[in-house]
Amino acid sequence: MTTTAPPRPGPSRPGPPRPYLPRPYLFWLAGAQTGLLGDAVLGFALGWAASGYGGGAAGLVLTAITVPRTTLVLLGGAVADRFGARRVMLAGDAVMLAATVALTLAVAGSRGTPLWLLVAAAAVTGTVDAFHLPASGSMPRRLVPADRLPRALALRQAGGQAAVLFGAPLGGLLVAAGGLAGAAAADAVSFGVVLLVLLKVRPEGERPGALRRAGLLGEAAAGVRLAVGDPLLRAALLLTGAAAGALLPVVSLLGPLLARAHGWAAGTAGLVAGGQAVGVLAVAALVAWRGGLPRAGTGAAAGLCTASAGIGLLALSVGPVGAVAGSTVTGIGSGLFASHLGPLVLGGAPASHLSRIQALLTLVQSLPLVLSTGLLGLLADAAGAALPTLLCALATAAAGLTALATPALRRARPGPAATVCPPGPEAHLPASGPPGRVRRWRRAAASGGGDE
């Protein structure tokens, strides 16, 4: 009797390779990150020059940036959706190139910079940001297929975090070597690079439409109505506002206050802030390489719960090691949250409203942050820095648990929200999808929602 040996299993075949991110997107992203680095350099230089006039002057310069950025951002989103995101970015970068060159020439060779010039430069920066941020925020969706959007946004997040991390030290070196003029000249070079990149990159399908116009303010209001009426966008934007108010002030405001309360040196406080940046970078790099979780809403909620644990550890730490560990865990949670919620917001908007939804996203991040920063600072003065830090941990945990209990977020998956439709009032709106969302998007377009 003969027996046949069972066939040996062959070597396992590797799965299909992950598709590459499109070259136009990578080219645009490289230019955009160059611009972000230049902005961080100039931001440090403006703050340093203003601090020479005292804390009130430094606050005035910061206010000159945030006020126009916050008040005009919804209008900026409507402008980008009507005239095209690329056109708005080209105009904004050209204005900033001219402004930074003028600033360089104005302060070159001078021993000091007049306060009015610092305020004027800050106001120009904030005004251009109000139009540029919604346009640039919509570019990943315009350049990247929906299935690769989470990786694309994570790569952008990592680049932005790196620009913030290295911008201040580079700004310090340039200010030490050439003063404000040196930093402004470097920023002008970065805007020149961005302009050259934008001249080469053209998103497919971006063209001004011929919808019935409701005026720019009406189109901005249409974007708000769309977001409020869509369960997923509404929940995601509310969650973003809650996270901005409870999470963002921790490292920027409460971390330095905790360090001073413990008597730690400035270098130690820098390590605490660096731990958060390392955590965000690590998660963003991992998502850019491997992709995000299938249920993006659950991933965002898990990120907030993770960040809450890190904030609590930071608040209760009595030594630098625990504080650095807490800030690193906070950064990991922040990275998880941002890398999973971003694709839901950007992928969940119809193509006709991309920049307006990005403008609303910027607004819901800015307003809670402005309010909570002042209140947390006052509470820290009255009761110490540990109490407001613990309150931030509780608020972040509550936001994460609420997200898990919200069906629209818990079940949300990133995916295509817009397909090609025939030209006309409903162009760039989805041909398929949840019926309620399709009807809302079509009503928004028919009521003068604007187009690209």
Side-chain angles (χ1 to χ4, degrees), residues 374-392:
L375 293 176
L376 291 171
L378 292 174
L379 183 58
D381 287 339
L387 178 59
T389 308
L390 285 173
L391 290 177
C392 285

Side-chain angles (χ1 to χ4, degrees), residues 34-35 38 97 100-101 104 182-196:
T34 302
L97 176 60
T100 49
V101 169
T104 302
D187 199 21
V189 171
S190 74
F191 281 114
V193 171
V194 176
L195 274 173
L196 292 176

Side-chain angles (χ1 to χ4, degrees), residues 140-210:
R141 169 79 179 274
R142 302 178 193 275
L143 295 171
V144 178
D147 61 327
R148 285 170 261 180
L149 191 58
R151 291 172 52 211
L153 290 178
L155 187 60
R156 185 178 183 225
Q157 180 191 13
Q161 190 67 42
V164 172
L165 187 62
F166 296 114
L170 181 57
L173 291 175
L174 289 171
V175 169
L180 178 59
D187 199 21
V189 171
S190 74
F191 281 114
V193 171
V194 176
L195 274 173
L196 292 176
V197 169
L198 284 174
L199 289 173
K200 295 289 186 182
V201 175
R202 293 178 178 270
E204 293 184 5
E206 187 186 49
R207 60 191 185 278

Side-chain angles (χ1 to χ4, degrees), residues 120-307:
V124 171
T125 300
T127 302
V128 172
D129 278 353
F131 294 85
H132 196 280
L133 289 176
S136 63
S138 70
M139 285 296 281
R141 169 79 179 274
R142 302 178 193 275
L143 295 171
V144 178
D147 61 327
R148 285 170 261 180
L149 191 58
R151 291 172 52 211
L153 290 178
L155 187 60
R156 185 178 183 225
Q157 180 191 13
Q161 190 67 42
V164 172
L165 187 62
F166 296 114
L170 181 57
L173 291 175
L174 289 171
V175 169
L180 178 59
D187 199 21
V189 171
S190 74
F191 281 114
V193 171
V194 176
L195 274 173
L196 292 176
V197 169
L198 284 174
L199 289 173
K200 295 289 186 182
V201 175
R202 293 178 178 270
E204 293 184 5
E206 187 186 49
R207 60 191 185 278
L211 297 186
R212 180 165 58 88
R213 300 302 182 189
L216 286 174
L217 293 179
E219 292 177 14
V224 176
R225 288 195 300 269
L226 174 76
V228 171
D230 187 285
L232 176 58
L233 289 176
R234 180 176 65 243
L237 290 170
L238 289 174
L239 185 63
T240 299
L247 183 56
L248 294 182
V250 171
V251 174
S252 61
L253 172 68
L254 298 175
L257 292 177
L258 285 169
R260 286 187 177 275
H262 289 297
W264 299 338
T268 303
L271 287 176
V272 174
Q276 189 261 356
V278 169
V280 172
L281 275 172
V283 172
L286 181 62
V287 174
W289 177 44
R290 300 290 299 178
L293 297 174
R295 290 187 179 270
T298 302
L304 288 181
C305 294
T306 303

Side-chain angles (χ1 to χ4, degrees), residues 35-47 60-73 88 91-101 103-104 116-134 136 180 183-184 187-188 190-191 362:
L36 281 179
L37 183 61
D39 290 345
V41 166
L42 183 62
F44 173 85
L46 288 175
L60 179 62
V61 170
L62 181 61
T63 302
I65 296 176
T66 56
V67 168
R69 177 192 293 167
T70 304
T71 56
L72 296 175
V73 68
V88 171
D93 288 325
V95 170
M96 287 305 300
L97 176 60
T100 49
V101 169
L103 180 62
T104 302
W116 69 265
L117 185 58
L118 297 175
V119 174
V124 171
T125 300
T127 302
V128 172
D129 278 353
F131 294 85
H132 196 280
L133 289 176
S136 63
L180 178 59
D187 199 21
S190 74
F191 281 114
T362 301

Side-chain angles (χ1 to χ4, degrees), residues 299-310 329 333 393 396-402 404:
L304 288 181
C305 294
T306 303
S308 172
V329 174
T396 305
L401 294 175
T402 301
L404 286 175

